[in-house]
Amino acid sequence: MALILSIETATHVCSVALHQDTQLLAATELHRQQSHSSQLTLMIEGLLLHNDYTLQDLAAVAVSKGPGSYTGLRIGVATAKGLAFGLDIPLVAVDTLQAMAEQIFIQNPQAPYACPMIDARRMEVYCALYAKDHTVVSPTQALILEPDTFDEYLAQAPIYFGGNGAAKFAPLKTAQPNAVFLPQLYPNAAAMGTLAAAAYQDQQWEDLAYFEPYYLKDFMVKPPTKAKL
């Protein structure tokens, strides 16, 4: 049985979890902006210590690969790669939106479609649309929300929108009964178990030298504003 450490840092929530294959053993998370770099390794150490494990007990490290926050993903992936390299164990990557879709379907088994959404600022979100059989109906994209967004699918069946991006989509769909919103849902390491275990068992392991997060969009640095005289 494989002990897998999962790391999720794609949003402001920083979380880590331990799974024995697909079984969740323990998890911890921190809801605090700009805390990933200072708290992630401490959270990993504490999780292992409090559950009587050491780093040497790990069979693999799983990391949420994005899309999401540029800085958060960079910190999570760098930490995961460092652990995998130092321990000489496999690194597996889990699609952030796919893991969120898994949460939606588990919590809402009646849902025919799941659309996880991560806030990408202004009226833009990172999202993908999945059917109940987990097939991809609409692939991952950076989408600017409009009043008619996803109308062609909503005309056919309900869609369960989850994540902080869903919170800003909801006001545009107040008259659409097939739009169900779950703004309280967020990416977390505890929900990565099934996908991480499947990737590990199938030996879908990442190349440590070349693996990078899936940022989806290029990171843009805002030029400094000049102070008014």
Side-chain angles (χ1 to χ4, degrees), residues 62-126:
V63 66
S64 177
K65 70 176 183 180
S69 160
Y70 179 92
T71 302
L73 290 172
R74 180 173 53 81
I75 293 169
V77 168
T79 302
K81 289 174 70 172
L83 287 171
F85 178 79
L87 298 169
D88 193 23
I89 58 177
L91 173 70
V92 298
V94 173
D95 185 284
T96 307
L97 294 175
Q98 188 178 2
M100 291 176 68
E102 289 282 329
Q103 291 185 68
I104 294 174
F105 286 126
I106 290 173
Q107 296 174 15
N108 305 274
Q110 75 281 11
Y113 294 100
C115 183
M117 290 182 164
I118 295 176
D119 189 352
R121 298 185 180 180
R122 298 186 177 86
M123 287 306 291
E124 190 171 26
V125 296
Y126 302 133

Side-chain angles (χ1 to χ4, degrees), residues 6 9 11 17 25 38 47 50 55 61 69 75-76 105 115 129 136 168 176 181 188 190-191 195 219 223-224 227:
S6 295
T9 58
T11 65
L25 301 180
S38 62
L47 184 68
H50 294 147
L55 288 172
V61 180
S69 160
I75 293 169
F105 286 126
C115 183
L129 182 62
V136 179
K168 62 183 181 183
Q176 175 50 264
F181 293 97
N188 66 82
L195 296 175
F219 180 61

Side-chain angles (χ1 to χ4, degrees), residues 50-211:
H50 294 147
N51 290 278
D52 296 322
Y53 289 108
T54 68
L55 288 172
Q56 286 67 36
D57 294 318
L58 297 176
V61 180
V63 66
S64 177
K65 70 176 183 180
S69 160
Y70 179 92
T71 302
L73 290 172
R74 180 173 53 81
I75 293 169
V77 168
T79 302
K81 289 174 70 172
L83 287 171
F85 178 79
L87 298 169
D88 193 23
I89 58 177
L91 173 70
V92 298
V94 173
D95 185 284
T96 307
L97 294 175
Q98 188 178 2
M100 291 176 68
E102 289 282 329
Q103 291 185 68
I104 294 174
F105 286 126
I106 290 173
Q107 296 174 15
N108 305 274
Q110 75 281 11
Y113 294 100
C115 183
M117 290 182 164
I118 295 176
D119 189 352
R121 298 185 180 180
R122 298 186 177 86
M123 287 306 291
E124 190 171 26
V125 296
Y126 302 133
C127 66
L129 182 62
Y130 298 86
K132 193 176 184 66
D133 62 359
H134 303 287
T135 57
V136 179
V137 178
S138 180
T140 299
Q141 60 182 316
L143 180 67
I144 296 176
L145 298 172
E146 303 285 354
D148 62 348
T149 299
F150 289 116
D151 274 0
E152 67 271 30
Y153 301 107
L154 287 166
Q156 304 171 30
I159 300 177
Y160 284 61
F161 298 94
N164 58 6
K168 62 183 181 183
F169 189 34
L172 301 180
K173 293 295 182 184
T174 55
Q176 175 50 264
N178 274 347
V180 181
F181 293 97
L182 308 167
Q184 73 281 3
L185 186 138
Y186 55 90
N188 66 82
M192 293 170 57
T194 300
L195 296 175
Y200 174 76
Q201 293 296 335
D202 293 341
Q203 296 189 12
Q204 296 176 356
W205 305 339
E206 302 299 331
D207 187 321
L208 295 180
Y210 298 102
F211 175 68

Side-chain angles (χ1 to χ4, degrees), residues 19-34:
H19 289 88
Q20 193 83 57
D21 293 332
T22 61
Q23 180 185 1
L24 177 64
L25 301 180
T28 183
E29 58 188 43
L30 181 63
H31 295 244
R32 186 187 301 165
Q33 295 281 4
Q34 299 179 339

